[in-house]
Amino acid sequence: MAEFSVIGKPFPRIDAKAKAMGDAKYTADMRLPGMLYGKVLRSPFPHARIRQIETARAKGLTGVRAVITAADTPKIKYGLVVDDELPLCDDRVRYVGDEVAAVAAIDRDTAEEALDLIEVEYEELPAVFDPEEALRPGAPVLHEQFPNNVASHLNFERGDIEAGLREAAVVLEETFRTQCHHQYYMENVAALANWSEGKLTIWCPLQFLEIPRQLLAKALNLRLSDIRMIQAYVGGGFGGKLDQKLPVVTALLALKSRRPVLCEHTREEEMQAARPRVPMIIRLKMGARKDGVITAKDTQIIADNGAYSNWAQGILSTAATRVDSAYRYRNIRTDAKLVYTNKTPTGAFRGFGNPQITFAVGSMIDMLARELGIDPAEMHRKNATQTGDVTAHGWVINSCGLTECIDRALERIGWPAKRQQKTFGRGLGVACAIHVSGNRIIGDYDGSAAFVKLNEDGRANVICGEGEIGQGANTIFAQIAAEELGVRYEDVDMSVADTDVTPFALGAWATRVTAIGGNGVRMAARDAKRQLLEAAAEKLEANPDDLVIREGVISVKGLPGRSLTVADAVKASMYKKGGTPVIGRGQFSVDTTVQVGKEKFGNIAPAYSFACQVAEVEVNPETGVVKVLRVVAADDLGRALNPLSAEGQVEGGVVQGLGYALCEELVFEDGRVLEPMEYEVPTAWLAPNVESILVEPIDPFGPYGAKGTGETPLVPVAAVIANAVCDAVGVRITSLPITPEKIRKALKAKQEAAGR
Amino acid sequence: MATRIPMSFTINGDRYEMELPPQRTLLELLRDELGLTGTKESCGAGICGACTVLVDGQPVSSCIKMAFQVKGREITTIEGLAPGGQLDPLQEAFVRHGAIQCGYCTPGMIIIAKGLLLQNPYPSEEEIYEAVGSNICRCTGYVKIVEAVRAVARGER
């Protein structure tokens, strides 16, 4: 195995010091001369026709510089997959929170006051909140181009589902329900836009810039290159900052007022009008042989889209297919629908449809194992995908540490011994997950590009647009560049993502940044190194192939006296007749396929990550309160390029998953979020001491064998906890979150049934 | 012109005298009037702790504290912990232990931990959880934040 000097070391995050000092500038921390403050007027109704909007009084208020409605926009619909959204509502609103108008004023108080002066005359329309009701004939229709309210419909079959069910010794059916779950990133969405010298510049915390720039250009009818988007520090995203309306509205205010405008969501707006996780109703029928081999999986999904789609088609596709590659299924059938309702539009959240389906499947495997009287862990092991498999959807598994994840997680928690000392109220649960490192779904491109620029002082700049969203991408990229160049980690600086400067980048989603972005940076660093060594070889009168670089010093192999610093080699490359600065260019493309049509077949990612988690819980049968005593999370992430950062991803993902499993839910009543400020996310009190185990099978694709790990650790948590609760008190909770009330109710029903 | 009240503060060792409207929060004073944007706003309702600052050494949610309520007091923000760029041991520990991801909760977390250690240099595990547990972090799962605070409390410098 190669010896690395920077890769695999637990370096502190490259931006940690700036963040620890309060020096890192997030969007809402920025100020421009003449800057205005913007505010959005939102619909109070879940479904209504806009009769008339009167803005004269708002416009007349001193200090107000712009009041905009749909009349001030080109009224072009846009969307990632289907065009179903306008920047500001024209004649109809479709959810409580829909953007109707916006103002920009010299200060926040004036902007607020102006909002109150806008008069909107609405005519309420019948609304539909339940996706099953929205599918019924005669239900209110949200978008005329989707007369059945179905935004996306997938169905496919592999193998022979009926034969699989016949082969089974046991067949179980259950309906699982998952809730609306908010990303609850600590930094509320904000945008700062400035229209100057014929260019619209937008600073914002989006997780990617190029696709939003394309959508913005379309919606505002601007040339793509007239828009410059720059990523500010991102205060958490978790998928929620892939699609946001606020930058679009802020841009419109800047165009109208010809002044810089800053808009920020309040926390209430975040809860009512951001893009939380897609809730799903999952009907699952699965069969298994006596030995635990799964013979059939029959799935029906109804996903609650909310009022607009954006990423939700991709999320439905993920829920419909992803979990199928964690196990060696032969017979599967899936029917999945994405349904419009008059509620907050949903979107991406860590796992992208995968936690929803993994809760259902992970619970079902546990139910089958109990029915068959076998160890559920054994059932996971027996069906687990292996290296070299081509799965039911054509996914090519080049590295798979799933079995090792299962073995090591069980060993750490002491599974067999603990299972024997069974006491009522204490339980163990296990579940597994698969996730992608990349996902070829946008415009049939999945690759990455970067520049590496070397400075005359020997330091390097990595110029890359993939983006840092708090997940540690820039740290990993700096490590990769340092490793390739032979300079110290401390001698690499990272650019911010900036569409005028950084190469086209798809950005931070689908856990793609380390594996795909990392390869782009690696290529660029190698190109820079080649140029550097050519210059050094001339100076040292040696062959470039005989040169090595360590800690910023270039030397001739076997000749310790002959050396040159990287700084001097950069100068040597430049300061001569015909000399050039050292700028490496890296372009990298991934050989995957788009899962086409309704059939959804094809190898969508260059690498796949796996996980197994086990948890021990204590359930108080009187109160129904679940205390999570321990979570062991084994995560197959290929080579851990930075173990400290990888552990952080695992720990954070697990605790977010515990929120999903146990307490977090956006509850709607008539389309309005109830008690938005009472939304409960885990604090340190709820979080157990998560023990992470990094399983590192070397992947042939990823840089140095690395795969992604951003999303995977959240995916199995809800199933693990549901299984542990069932093990503790004998009740199966099939809807999330697993609240004390649901447990009490289930225990009561069980007692009553036993007493009969 | 709305009413303005004259008030003075000591903020990170500097003395300020100003006239502010009565509805101005401490957070607005820091961020909007003084440009001390290290202190963050998140929930705006005193729930999450992102806006925590020290008032006479005590942690306070600055988003629900009115500026006039702290007139004459000594206020320390995250910018005040590293005068001249020399990091506080807590800041060092947060960096070294991987307790920082997106960084948005970080100033509030470091300040609340600072408040704890000022009052109680040798806190118990329970007391560390009490401090960290009153703020929200959405990235780290708290494991490394607790580790960092524990390390400083146990004398790691």
Side-chain angles (χ1 to χ4, degrees), chain A residues 13 295 318 430 543 604 612:
Chain A
R13 294 281 186 93
T295 58
T318 294
V430 60
N543 189 321
I604 57 161
C612 174

PDB file of all heavy atoms in Angstrom, chain A residues 13 295 318 430 543 604 612:
ATOM      1  N   ARG A  13     -10.276  20.966  10.133  1.00  0.00           N
ATOM      2  CA  ARG A  13     -10.903  21.594   8.963  1.00  0.00           C
ATOM      3  C   ARG A  13     -10.156  22.864   8.552  1.00  0.00           C
ATOM      4  O   ARG A  13      -9.766  23.651   9.411  1.00  0.00           O
ATOM      5  CB  ARG A  13     -12.356  21.958   9.286  1.00  0.00           C
ATOM      6  CG  ARG A  13     -13.264  20.784   9.535  1.00  0.00           C
ATOM      7  CD  ARG A  13     -13.685  20.156   8.233  1.00  0.00           C
ATOM      8  NE  ARG A  13     -14.665  19.108   8.437  1.00  0.00           N
ATOM      9  CZ  ARG A  13     -15.990  19.305   8.387  1.00  0.00           C
ATOM     10  NH1 ARG A  13     -16.483  20.503   8.172  1.00  0.00           N
ATOM     11  NH2 ARG A  13     -16.814  18.290   8.536  1.00  0.00           N
ATOM     12  N   THR A 295     -37.239 -13.467  -0.945  1.00  0.00           N
ATOM     13  CA  THR A 295     -37.626 -13.964  -2.274  1.00  0.00           C
ATOM     14  C   THR A 295     -38.439 -12.956  -3.067  1.00  0.00           C
ATOM     15  O   THR A 295     -38.526 -13.060  -4.288  1.00  0.00           O
ATOM     16  CB  THR A 295     -38.464 -15.256  -2.129  1.00  0.00           C
ATOM     17  OG1 THR A 295     -39.609 -14.953  -1.317  1.00  0.00           O
ATOM     18  CG2 THR A 295     -37.661 -16.372  -1.498  1.00  0.00           C
ATOM     19  N   THR A 318     -35.413   7.761  -6.129  1.00  0.00           N
ATOM     20  CA  THR A 318     -34.495   7.203  -5.131  1.00  0.00           C
ATOM     21  C   THR A 318     -35.237   6.273  -4.180  1.00  0.00           C
ATOM     22  O   THR A 318     -34.776   5.164  -3.892  1.00  0.00           O
ATOM     23  CB  THR A 318     -33.821   8.351  -4.353  1.00  0.00           C
ATOM     24  OG1 THR A 318     -32.992   9.063  -5.268  1.00  0.00           O
ATOM     25  CG2 THR A 318     -32.983   7.840  -3.198  1.00  0.00           C
ATOM     26  N   VAL A 430     -31.149  -3.476  14.684  1.00  0.00           N
ATOM     27  CA  VAL A 430     -30.132  -3.442  13.636  1.00  0.00           C
ATOM     28  C   VAL A 430     -30.808  -3.080  12.316  1.00  0.00           C
ATOM     29  O   VAL A 430     -31.965  -3.432  12.086  1.00  0.00           O
ATOM     30  CB  VAL A 430     -29.395  -4.805  13.521  1.00  0.00           C
ATOM     31  CG1 VAL A 430     -30.350  -5.942  13.190  1.00  0.00           C
ATOM     32  CG2 VAL A 430     -28.284  -4.760  12.462  1.00  0.00           C
ATOM     33  N   ASN A 543      16.046  14.478 -15.192  1.00  0.00           N
ATOM     34  CA  ASN A 543      14.838  14.045 -15.890  1.00  0.00           C
ATOM     35  C   ASN A 543      13.630  14.277 -14.964  1.00  0.00           C
ATOM     36  O   ASN A 543      13.712  13.920 -13.783  1.00  0.00           O
ATOM     37  CB  ASN A 543      15.017  12.545 -16.205  1.00  0.00           C
ATOM     38  CG  ASN A 543      13.917  12.049 -17.115  1.00  0.00           C
ATOM     39  OD1 ASN A 543      12.758  12.441 -16.984  1.00  0.00           O
ATOM     40  ND2 ASN A 543      14.292  11.188 -18.039  1.00  0.00           N
ATOM     41  N   ILE A 604     -26.067   4.174 -11.953  1.00  0.00           N
ATOM     42  CA  ILE A 604     -26.156   5.637 -11.826  1.00  0.00           C
ATOM     43  C   ILE A 604     -24.967   6.271 -11.139  1.00  0.00           C
ATOM     44  O   ILE A 604     -24.805   7.483 -11.197  1.00  0.00           O
ATOM     45  CB  ILE A 604     -27.434   6.069 -11.074  1.00  0.00           C
ATOM     46  CG1 ILE A 604     -27.500   5.413  -9.694  1.00  0.00           C
ATOM     47  CG2 ILE A 604     -28.664   5.794 -11.890  1.00  0.00           C
ATOM     48  CD1 ILE A 604     -28.454   6.127  -8.768  1.00  0.00           C
ATOM     49  N   CYS A 612     -24.014  -0.281   8.359  1.00  0.00           N
ATOM     50  CA  CYS A 612     -24.838  -1.064   9.283  1.00  0.00           C
ATOM     51  C   CYS A 612     -24.783  -0.362  10.631  1.00  0.00           C
ATOM     52  O   CYS A 612     -23.711   0.058  11.061  1.00  0.00           O
ATOM     53  CB  CYS A 612     -24.308  -2.492   9.422  1.00  0.00           C
ATOM     54  SG  CYS A 612     -25.205  -3.429  10.694  1.00  0.00           S
TER      55      CYS A 612
END
